Amino acid sequence: MKIRMMAAVLAASVTIPFGAAKATDLEVTHWWTSGGEAAAVAELAKAFDATGNHWVDGAIAGSGSTARPIMISRITGGDPMGATQFNHGRQAEELVQAGLMKDLTDVATAGKWKDIIRPSTLLDSCTIDGKIYCAPVNIHSWQWLWLSNAAFQKAGVAVPKNWDEFVAAAPALEKAGIVPLAVGGQGWQASGAFNVLMIAIGGKDNYLKVFKDKDAAVAAGPEIAKVFKAADDARRMSKGSNVQDWNQATNLVITGKAGGQIMGDWAQGEFQVAKQVAGKDYTCLPGLGVNEIISTSGDAFYFPLQKDAEKAKAQDVLAATLLDPKTQVAFNLKKGSLPVRADVDISAANDCMKKGLEILAKGNIVTSSDQLASPDTTKQIEDLFAEFFANTTMTPDAAQKRFADIIAAAD
């Protein structure tokens, strides 16, 4: 395969030096381009530049599904960047197995990553054959319903405390000219919302049976049928969103044009940029107010092998910098995510972030679907829900049957 051929070429010409690094430019690719994301990534760049090196920003507009193929193509095509973002999970698995990614085990050992990173599954996702290949930078959880307090005030109804109350409030919102639920037009947003409903409505055990155990019988069963009924409600309430990107959907909530949005905690960055205050201007419901469980998804940086010895040394410096306590706090406060370090002071967190920290401290967590399913399975599910939300003639029963077939064939 092409990846393995390129691995052989690179391996023959690359040495992996360690020790002090000279000032070096290092290109870092990522897909953080919204207002809140840009503010957060600027903190990483500032921290790396403070080491005497220079962060060369390689932002790629669009979502991860747009950026990842570009990143992979560059790496396999012999034009690797210094570091690149992927989500926690299996997205870079083939690149690692092909020998195209740098082994960070020595950096991780020196930084005692096994002692400070929580939950341990994040570092497990970076580990293949006992070696560590990525640096986790945050915990992002999908399980949030973001609500516009102004929208519900205009509609004359109380801000909901859970999913059922939100669904019940939809007619009042619509009567006031407000879209009840903002959902962007990309498949990952629709499938992400479904996964949130899976845990909230179907429960943690059924979620794990489907995504971890690949139990097609459960996927086709009555408990998941309830989830598809909720997804049908979400589809109906999202009619009229008419936006594509997730941050555009978040802006509908910020401006009171939509009542709510099911989206990961990265949405907090957009509320912060808009100078909105948690608990005053907007309300957040972890687990949709039904099941206060959060998934431990998020982002990690991988480091493609370099021919340049100085760049290889700078990669070690960047990996260590990403896990530095000050970097962890500065970045995650802007990003809206939780730090992966268990030993940092996050007292400046807002009300919503504190809710996430409390849930994490209680251990009410679940491994994200990105870590449990292969990229191919994830893409099939995204395609299914993109069609389901766009095509109102597809019944929940028909969608569930297709979903169960995907799970039956999942790897």
Side-chain angles (χ1 to χ4, degrees), residues 232-399:
D232 190 35
D233 289 336
R235 175 173 64 175
R236 173 178 50 80
M237 292 190 295
S238 68
K239 184 179 179 181
S241 291
N242 297 326
V243 294
Q244 188 72 6
D245 296 331
W246 70 268
N247 53 307
Q248 293 175 320
T250 304
N251 189 61
L252 293 178
V253 180
I254 290 171
T255 57
K257 295 176 182 177
Q261 179 190 24
I262 298 174
M263 185 51 59
D265 52 12
W266 50 90
Q268 288 192 89
E270 302 307 298
F271 285 103
Q272 288 186 76
V273 168
K275 302 190 183 307
Q276 293 211 339
V277 178
K280 176 185 175 183
D281 301 305
Y282 66 98
T283 296
C284 56
L285 297 180
L288 308 188
V290 180
N291 259 330
E292 289 199 348
I293 296 172
I294 62 174
S295 61
T296 50
S297 186
D299 304 287
F301 279 89
Y302 288 77
F303 298 81
L305 290 176
Q306 298 290 315
K307 296 178 182 179
D308 186 310
E310 295 306 319
K311 288 188 183 297
K313 290 178 183 178
Q315 288 177 317
D316 292 344
V317 175
L318 176 55
T321 300
L322 294 172
L323 271 296
D324 178 82
K326 291 182 180 178
T327 308
Q328 279 281 295
V329 172
F331 169 74
N332 284 293
L333 285 176
K334 293 285 180 67
K335 192 70 166 64
S337 48
L338 305 180
V340 297
R341 290 190 67 129
D343 60 349
V344 295
D345 179 6
I346 204 75
S347 56
N350 67 23
D351 288 348
C352 292
M353 197 170 179
K354 286 177 180 176
K355 288 181 181 179
L357 288 166
E358 289 170 3
I359 294 169
L360 184 63
K362 292 176 183 176
N364 294 342
I365 60 175
V366 66
T367 304
S368 74
S369 60
D370 282 341
Q371 293 169 274
L372 298 173
S374 70
D376 179 62
T377 297
T378 299
K379 184 63 168 63
Q380 290 182 58
I381 294 172
E382 286 181 4
D383 290 345
L384 168 61
F385 284 101
E387 183 178 351
F388 179 71
F389 270 74
N391 180 10
T392 56
T393 64
M394 182 186 291
T395 66
D397 287 346

Side-chain angles (χ1 to χ4, degrees), residues 1 3-4 7 29 31 64 67-69 71-73 75-76 81 83-104 122-129 131-136 298-305 369-376 378:
M1 74 188 282
I3 289 179
R4 299 193 186 282
T29 55
W31 56 83
R68 280 189 295 273
M71 296 165 173
I72 292 170
S73 178
I75 295 166
T76 57
M81 61 294 291
T84 189
Q85 171 196 8
F86 284 105
N87 295 126
H88 300 320
R90 299 172 60 182
Q91 293 173 354
E93 190 174 67
E94 282 196 15
L95 295 171
V96 172
Q97 291 172 339
L100 292 172
M101 290 297 187
K102 182 174 185 176
D103 177 1
L104 299 176
L122 299 182
L123 200 57
D124 291 343
S125 291
C126 290
T127 306
I128 295 179
D129 296 331
K131 297 179 180 180
I132 296 170
Y133 289 94
C134 67
D299 304 287
F301 279 89
Y302 288 77
F303 298 81
L305 290 176
S369 60
D370 282 341
Q371 293 169 274
L372 298 173
S374 70
D376 179 62
T378 299

Side-chain angles (χ1 to χ4, degrees), residues 30-50:
H30 59 87
W31 56 83
W32 290 325
T33 57
S34 75
E37 290 173 328
V41 78
E43 295 293 339
L44 298 183
K46 182 168 66 175
F48 183 59
D49 288 354

